[in-house]
């Protein structure tokens, strides 16, 4: 049994006319198996409808909780008012908890500087092993026990909604602590039940090539523009605030191809660059800044350093995406290519050279990539006898969580219901939140004939 988290601070404020928000800070162990090894501070925001007059904190109703598990790994939550689906959840009678997962947002943030406090690269790697989904859900259980202490015993379970990597965490939750859950909503986040990342990236690269085809079919003029931009970056050392703008970093813009509006966002950057080169012969500051803003790995280094480890159960990742890219000549950047292919949601060794923050943790990343001692994240036997209602939105065109792998996982979770669509992409919870939430709650309320 996971011990309850310690609530060490709580402050309230209102979003005028809409929301009552509490900012919460908890103490939890870094390592639940060795609680004396130190603590982490977890930050969260809870949100409920703003009532007039506002009820005092002690008189607040004991509403059921819905916990949002953010995508990533490594991404913190935004303020509650920026999530379009929150109103729907509040209308359904929930209060919502936005928890910054350990190491993200304001929860004992992981950066090169904060990691250095742990000591050398070996000690940093050992520390980071505590930041996967297994401990994220232990944190959730600890916080649940804290926040529901005064609830009637039969009302202490809570609901979860996981987006992308948050869905991976949700399935880990179903595996390890199903007794804490009332229900689980999963959005584009049914994880591949694999032991290592190679089978994942083999399918992901297939989908990335499809999205490259879609991009160049929509913007055929960008074939030459991208090649010209890549050649310019080969010939010129272009610095940005986070490091160096390399040809490979241009390729990495393909991560946007899996989002609603992603093709147009990349085209806009390519067009800006082409316009600069046509008029001035170099990239202007606004253009360079725009390219830099699409990285984000320096501000979310867990994403880079643990991205492949989220698939590992008893295997090392051994730089899976990098190996598979090198083995596929289509992704080469050379003069013989008819077009430059963009990559997707992958992490490559060269990122630990072109990003200043990642360069500082390169040795730590190498250690983690060679580590095979990753514990199990999923319990197939428990999932096969699952009794927690599961409602999953699965996207046929998902570039990050392959539809075939997600469907196999759904079939292994007893009782899981799926909303399957080919008209939504991975970020539908943000881009089409009303439609998506309507479909998920229709699954829950059994209103689909």
């Amino acid at each position: 049994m996971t011990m309850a988290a310690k609530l060490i601070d709580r402050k309230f404020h209102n979003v005028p006319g809409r929301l009552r928000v509490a900012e919460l800070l908890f103490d939890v162990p870094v390592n639940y198996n060795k609680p004396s090894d130190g603590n982490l501070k977890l930050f969260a925001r809870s949100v409920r409808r703003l009532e007039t007059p506002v009820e005092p904190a002690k008189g607040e109703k004991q509403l059921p909780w819905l916990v949002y598990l953010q995508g990533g790994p490594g991404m913190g939550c935004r303020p509650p008012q920026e999530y379009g689906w929150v109103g729907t959840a509040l209308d359904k009678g929930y209060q919502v908890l936005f928890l910054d997962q350990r190491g993200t947002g304001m929860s004992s943030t992981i950066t090169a500087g904060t990691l250095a406090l742990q000591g050398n690269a070996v000690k940093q790697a050992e520390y980071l092993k505590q930041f996967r989904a297994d401990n994220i859900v232990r944190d959730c259980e600890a916080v649940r026990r804290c926040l529901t202490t005064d609830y009637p015993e039969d009302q202490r379970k809570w609901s979860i909604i996981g987006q992308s990597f948050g869905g991976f965490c949700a399935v880990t939750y179903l595996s390890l602590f199903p007794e804490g859950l009332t229900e689980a909503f999963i959005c584009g986040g049914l994880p591949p039940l694999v032991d290592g990342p190679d089978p994942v990236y083999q399918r992901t690269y297939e989908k990335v090539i499809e999205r490259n085809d879609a991009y160049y079919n929509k913007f055929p003029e960008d074939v030459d523009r991208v090649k010209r931009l890549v050649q310019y970056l080969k010939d010129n050392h272009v610095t940005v605030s986070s490091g160096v703008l390399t040809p490979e970093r241009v390729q990495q813009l393909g991560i946007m191809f899996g989002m609603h509006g992603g093709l147009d966002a990349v085209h806009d950057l390519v067009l800006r660059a082409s316009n600069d080169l046509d008029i001035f012969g170099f990239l202007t500051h606004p253009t360079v800044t725009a390219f830099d803003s699409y990285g984000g790995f320096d501000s979310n280094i867990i994403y880079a350093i643990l991205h492949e480890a989220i698939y590992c159960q008893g295997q090392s990742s051994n730089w899976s995406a990098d190996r598979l890219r090198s083995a596929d000549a289509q992704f080469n950047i050379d003069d013989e290519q008819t077009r430059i292919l963009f990559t997707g949601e992958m992490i490559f060794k060269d990122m630990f050279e072109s990003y200043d923050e990642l360069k500082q943790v390169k040795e730590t990343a190498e250690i983690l990539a060679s580590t095979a001692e990753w514990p199990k994240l999923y319990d197939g036997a428990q999932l096969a006898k699952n009794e927690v209602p599961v409602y999953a939105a699965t996207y046929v065109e998902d570039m990050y969580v392959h539809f075939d792998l997600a469907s196999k996982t759904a079939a292994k979770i007893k009782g899981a219901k799926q909303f399957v669509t080919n008209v939504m992409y991975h970020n539908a919870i943000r881009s089409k939140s009303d439609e998506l939430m309507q479909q998920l709650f229709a699954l829950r309320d059994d209103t689909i004939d």
Side-chain angles (χ1 to χ4, degrees), residues 138-174:
R138 288 187 179 99
D139 289 340
C140 289
E141 271 296 276
V143 171
R144 180 183 68 83
R145 291 183 179 279
C146 174
L147 293 181
T148 62
T149 299
D150 297 330
Y151 280 48
E153 191 169 345
D154 62 347
Q155 296 177 27
R156 292 178 182 173
K157 296 182 180 183
W158 62 11
S159 303
I160 56 176
I161 178 168
Q163 157 66 10
S164 188
F165 173 69
F168 290 29
C169 294
V171 177
T172 300
Y173 212 145
L174 291 167

Side-chain angles (χ1 to χ4, degrees), residues 275-405:
N275 187 61
D276 280 356
L277 296 178
D278 283 342
I279 297 175
F280 305 110
F282 60 87
L283 300 180
T284 62
H285 179 74
T287 297
V288 169
T289 301
F291 273 97
D292 194 28
S293 70
Y294 277 88
F297 301 111
D298 269 15
S299 299
N300 303 287
I301 69 169
I302 283 180
Y303 183 91
I305 207 165
L306 286 179
H307 198 274
E308 295 194 349
I310 68 175
Y311 300 107
C312 293
Q313 302 182 95
Q315 285 189 12
S316 63
S317 66
N318 192 24
W319 297 105
S320 175
D322 201 280
R323 285 186 288 104
L324 292 172
R325 180 184 64 170
S326 298
D328 190 340
Q330 295 180 85
F331 287 94
N332 289 348
I333 300 181
D334 57 44
D335 296 335
E336 297 180 4
Q337 298 293 91
T338 56
R339 60 181 187 172
I340 302 296
L341 287 190
F342 293 87
T343 53
E345 192 187 38
M346 295 95 167
I347 299 300
F348 304 107
K349 286 184 177 182
D350 58 71
M351 292 178 176
F352 292 84
E353 296 292 343
S354 62
Y355 287 90
D356 289 343
E357 186 88 356
L358 296 186
K359 190 181 297 185
Q360 300 175 59
V361 295
K362 180 179 178 180
E363 186 180 354
T364 305
E366 290 283 2
I367 293 170
L368 290 170
S370 63
T371 295
E373 293 77 35
W374 296 107
K376 287 284 186 181
L377 295 170
Y378 312 111
D379 184 335
Q382 178 60 44
L383 295 176
K385 62 181 182 182
N386 172 64
E387 295 182 357
V388 178
V390 176
Y391 313 107
T394 306
Y395 314 124
V396 175
E397 299 300 332
D398 201 322
M399 196 180 81
Y400 313 104
V401 181
H402 198 283
F403 175 72
D404 290 350
L405 297 175

